[in-house]
Amino acid sequence: MALTGSLGTFHHPGISRIDYKALDMDRVLTALLARLWHQGLPSKISRAKTLDVDVFVKLFLQHPEVFDGFDRETTTRWTATHLLDLVNRGKATEAVASPRPLHGFTYRFRNSRKSRPYGADEQLYEMLSEDPGALAGLREFFFSDVDRATGAITPGPGTDVETQALLHLVEQAGNQMQDRPDTSKPRTPYPPLCAEPARQLCQDVMRLLYHQDHMPRTVLVDYLKILFAFHLSLYHLRMMKLLPAVVEAGAVPASCRKGHAGKDAADRCPYRVRLFLDVEGTPGTPAAVLAERRAEIWYRRIPRFIQATYQVKKLDDFAEHLAAKTDKLSRPRGRNYFTPEEALRLLGKSYRKDRDAFFLQRTNRVRDEEEETPAELKQITQLDLDPFDEYIEMLMHYKGRYYRRYFVDCLDSMLLKHRPGALLAQPRGGRSGGENSARRFVLDARLLEVLLQVSLLREGNDSSGDLQTSPMRVDEFLALLRDRYGLYIDQLPDSDGFSGAHLDDQAALRANSAAFLNRLREIGYYQDMSDAYLTQTIIPRYAIGTVAKAGGAAR
């Protein structure tokens, strides 16, 4: 097959650091904990053997002075169901990925081959680096009982039983492993193509951490995983619109690079995400049909996004060639990599001769690897394209479907399809493409809870800058979902396949709004007072006053 070796390489970390594979957020968070401890670097663990369930059970049973009254059967069941993240659970190939990420040092007990974050931990860390306060808050939450200088652990009086068990595991097994930062993989802080997603993530993390003294640790950790998946999905959906436009223009819009100042500016951004959500969650309803239409439009953008990523990646290869083999391009001062925008400048006329020669050599190499030229490849060569465009078309012919399939799996997992906190649903067996198998955007109750926690926490009126919870009218919350996240429930977006609500759509929107009120009522945030909007109020679950504090200063 053609495009072997480095010819078909695809990923560019300036677009996303994720190796597009299906993600598990437990494993992503576990790997992120290592980066939090090692200031952005992954960990390098030296350990004698792979850890299985029996290893953890023996650690408990060998220390009755700490784990008093633990019998083997109960300990085994509790460890497997509450403490550990298992792959292929219940099957013959069941294995331990890692302990659940309830404490910072759980990453030391992961089996790296079974607990792969596929670069999502690095993507999250670089996004969180937009605000050092967010990183400090997460570090303080997960490592609050660890002395940074000595590594000594002093559990607090309110530590839950699962975290207590993990802390004792760290203490008992700490001398059996070595943990150090992996300096062979240094950070490469590419400037973001759009600053807005990272800024929103940091703000939401800080607000969620404000609740750490008011909710169980296990609940807050689950909320963080849902929040991370939510923002990763919004980031990549935005890239699916932004990147092709950047490649077409040859530059990143200044407003995206700096971040959109103010709600109105963000709302006018043509690349922001706008999703219509089916709240009821029942396939076949009018609202579900509208949500399916929305999802279909977004997923149809994937091939063009794959092509745009290839264009940036191959121009980056060309830039590396010029910098290493000629004196026609110098490396940027202070770093050894090129940003996507710098690579795109090589599409200019001054580089045409070198560009044509570089990519002509590659197209000829692809042809030489084929014993018999496929009909599709012949059609591409007959289009009389310049060598760069011809090479990109070859890449899409050979690798486009492959990377599209993996990107779809990755995007589905970031949208938490079939998992708590889902923003996407698809009937089981939907891959077959049969009737009622279409994806649609939804609003799962767990995701709604997370968005409520961060949205009902606002600055008080005392000018202190501290945050406090306060009730919010339902219509205000719906407007916030639209303006901040691009999530539409009682209205239709005015772009991407929609041009306003028709008469039939109005009935669907009313039913969707009623389903939203029912969902609020089910999770305990809403009580009926009146049908009037002014008296439809969302009540916070946790009362947090102006003295509430997170690990860092909230913004």
Side-chain angles (χ1 to χ4, degrees):
M1 180 181 177
L3 294 174
T4 56
S6 62
L7 286 180
T9 54
F10 172 70
H11 300 90
H12 192 289
I15 299 168
S16 174
R17 291 164 175 81
I18 296 180
D19 180 14
Y20 299 124
K21 305 285 178 61
L23 303 176
D24 183 285
M25 294 310 298
D26 273 313
R27 294 152 207 176
V28 171
L29 179 53
T30 298
L32 177 63
L33 295 177
R35 292 185 181 273
L36 290 175
W37 184 250
H38 292 304
Q39 307 298 320
L41 296 178
S43 67
K44 195 170 185 178
I45 303 291
S46 298
R47 195 171 55 222
K49 59 182 178 180
T50 300
L51 301 177
D52 57 22
V53 176
D54 285 341
V55 171
F56 290 95
V57 172
K58 288 178 181 178
L59 279 172
F60 291 134
L61 298 180
Q62 288 172 357
H63 296 278
E65 73 281 2
V66 177
F67 303 102
D68 184 30
F70 277 48
D71 65 87
R72 175 170 291 275
E73 181 180 356
T74 304
T75 302
T76 301
R77 294 175 61 185
W78 174 71
T79 301
T81 56
H82 287 77
L83 206 62
L84 300 180
D85 170 28
L86 302 180
V87 298
N88 301 323
R89 186 181 291 271
K91 300 179 180 179
T93 54
E94 179 181 274
V96 174
S98 68
R100 292 178 60 199
L102 298 176
H103 184 271
F105 281 144
T106 53
Y107 73 85
R108 293 180 174 178
F109 294 89
R110 67 174 178 156
N111 294 316
S112 58
R113 292 185 178 181
K114 303 294 183 180
S115 183
R116 294 179 176 175
Y118 296 112
D121 58 321
E122 184 181 4
Q123 179 67 30
L124 278 172
Y125 190 90
E126 296 303 331
M127 291 176 71
L128 290 164
S129 298
E130 171 72 17
D131 184 355
L135 284 176
L138 286 168
R139 196 176 296 118
E140 173 62 24
F141 172 65
F142 282 105
F143 297 95
S144 58
D145 40 25
V146 180
D147 186 288
R148 181 74 194 180
T150 65
I153 300 173
T154 53
T159 306
D160 58 88
V161 64
E162 287 89 355
T163 307
Q164 286 273 16
L166 292 172
L167 291 177
H168 286 298
L169 283 175
V170 173
E171 290 182 321
Q172 299 298 336
N175 59 353
Q176 301 176 21
M177 64 182 70
Q178 292 182 346
D179 172 28
R180 59 188 183 275
D182 189 352
T183 55
S184 66
K185 300 176 182 178
R187 288 182 60 196
T188 53
Y190 286 84
L193 294 179
C194 184
E196 197 68 20
R199 185 174 303 172
Q200 287 190 357
L201 169 63
C202 293
Q203 291 169 350
D204 285 357
V205 166
M206 293 300 296
R207 280 168 167 76
L208 196 54
L209 288 176
Y210 249 79
H211 294 79
Q212 60 186 283
D213 296 328
H214 300 268
M215 67 172 62
R217 185 183 187 88
T218 54
V219 174
L220 182 54
V221 170
D222 285 341
Y223 281 177
L224 281 169
K225 289 185 293 187
I226 291 172
L227 186 69
F228 288 154
F230 175 68
H231 280 284
L232 282 175
S233 64
L234 291 186
Y235 170 82
H236 286 86
L237 288 172
R238 185 183 288 253
M239 288 302 104
M240 286 161 56
K241 290 186 72 174
L242 175 61
L243 185 63
V246 168
V247 171
E248 187 71 22
V252 180
S255 60
C256 289
R257 191 187 304 110
K258 297 177 182 178
H260 302 285
K263 181 189 72 174
D264 294 338
D267 189 58
R268 288 196 302 269
C269 175
Y271 311 112
R272 78 185 298 257
V273 176
R274 294 178 174 88
L275 310 176
F276 178 76
L277 310 182
D278 168 30
V279 180
E280 184 179 348
T282 303
T285 64
V289 172
L290 293 173
E292 288 172 3
R293 187 197 309 174
R294 200 65 175 177
E296 182 183 7
I297 290 171
W298 278 98
Y299 275 75
R300 282 183 176 180
R301 290 191 169 102
I302 293 176
R304 180 66 188 99
F305 170 75
I306 301 296
Q307 184 183 43
T309 303
Y310 256 135
Q311 289 172 298
V312 172
K313 172 61 180 174
K314 297 311 163 185
L315 287 172
D316 185 73
D317 292 347
F318 177 47
E320 289 291 337
H321 167 77
L322 291 180
K325 303 294 185 181
T326 73
D327 58 355
K328 297 180 181 180
L329 186 65
S330 300
R331 295 188 182 278
R333 188 174 182 179
R335 51 185 166 87
N336 61 354
Y337 57 88
F338 297 91
T339 67
E341 196 167 17
E342 290 166 345
L344 287 171
R345 292 173 189 160
L346 300 183
L347 287 174
K349 293 181 180 179
S350 58
Y351 295 99
R352 180 165 186 172
K353 183 177 179 180
D354 294 296
R355 187 176 66 244
D356 286 352
F358 178 80
F359 288 106
L360 181 61
Q361 182 185 33
R362 292 201 163 195
T363 56
N364 289 335
R365 185 174 167 185
V366 172
R367 294 191 190 97
D368 292 342
E369 289 185 0
E370 289 284 10
E371 294 183 1
E372 183 177 350
T373 304
E376 295 86 350
L377 196 59
K378 290 180 180 179
Q379 292 177 354
I380 292 173
T381 58
Q382 293 170 359
L383 294 175
D384 197 27
L385 302 171
D386 65 56
F388 172 67
D389 291 333
E390 183 175 341
Y391 185 58
I392 296 300
E393 291 298 327
M394 288 180 172
L395 289 169
M396 292 300 294
H397 166 68
Y398 285 108
K399 296 288 190 177
R401 290 184 180 179
Y402 173 84
Y403 282 117
R404 181 191 181 279
R405 182 173 72 252
Y406 278 105
F407 184 82
V408 167
D409 289 342
C410 183
L411 185 59
D412 283 353
S413 65
M414 287 188 288
L415 292 164
L416 297 178
K417 187 178 78 169
H418 302 319
R419 299 182 184 183
L423 193 61
L424 184 78
Q426 184 181 24
R428 299 288 180 176
R431 285 180 177 273
S432 62
E435 188 178 356
N436 295 327
S437 65
R439 291 174 174 83
R440 69 185 187 283
F441 293 118
V442 297
L443 182 61
D444 183 79
R446 296 287 282 179
L447 175 59
L448 178 57
E449 288 183 25
V450 174
L451 297 180
L452 285 166
Q453 301 296 349
V454 300
S455 301
L456 298 179
L457 193 62
R458 295 173 284 182
E459 288 190 11
N461 299 322
D462 56 3
S463 302
S464 67
D466 290 329
L467 304 181
Q468 61 185 24
T469 52
S470 60
M472 181 184 293
R473 293 204 319 266
V474 171
D475 62 314
E476 290 179 331
F477 181 62
L478 290 171
L480 183 148
L481 293 179
R482 291 193 301 271
D483 297 336
R484 181 170 177 79
Y485 304 111
L487 305 181
Y488 288 71
I489 293 171
D490 63 334
Q491 297 180 17
L492 289 179
D494 57 1
S495 60
D496 294 334
F498 291 105
S499 58
H502 303 293
L503 187 60
D504 293 340
D505 297 334
Q506 293 291 349
L509 294 175
R510 286 194 297 270
N512 211 41
S513 299
F516 180 70
L517 291 179
N518 287 333
R519 184 62 55 82
L520 288 174
R521 189 181 298 110
E522 289 169 358
I523 62 178
Y525 281 85
Y526 173 76
Q527 292 181 345
D528 291 328
M529 298 292 291
S530 168
D531 289 336
Y533 256 6
L534 293 179
T535 59
Q536 292 182 347
T537 304
I538 301 172
I539 307 298
R541 178 175 295 173
Y542 303 98
I544 302 177
T546 56
V547 296
K549 295 292 181 182
R555 296 186 178 180

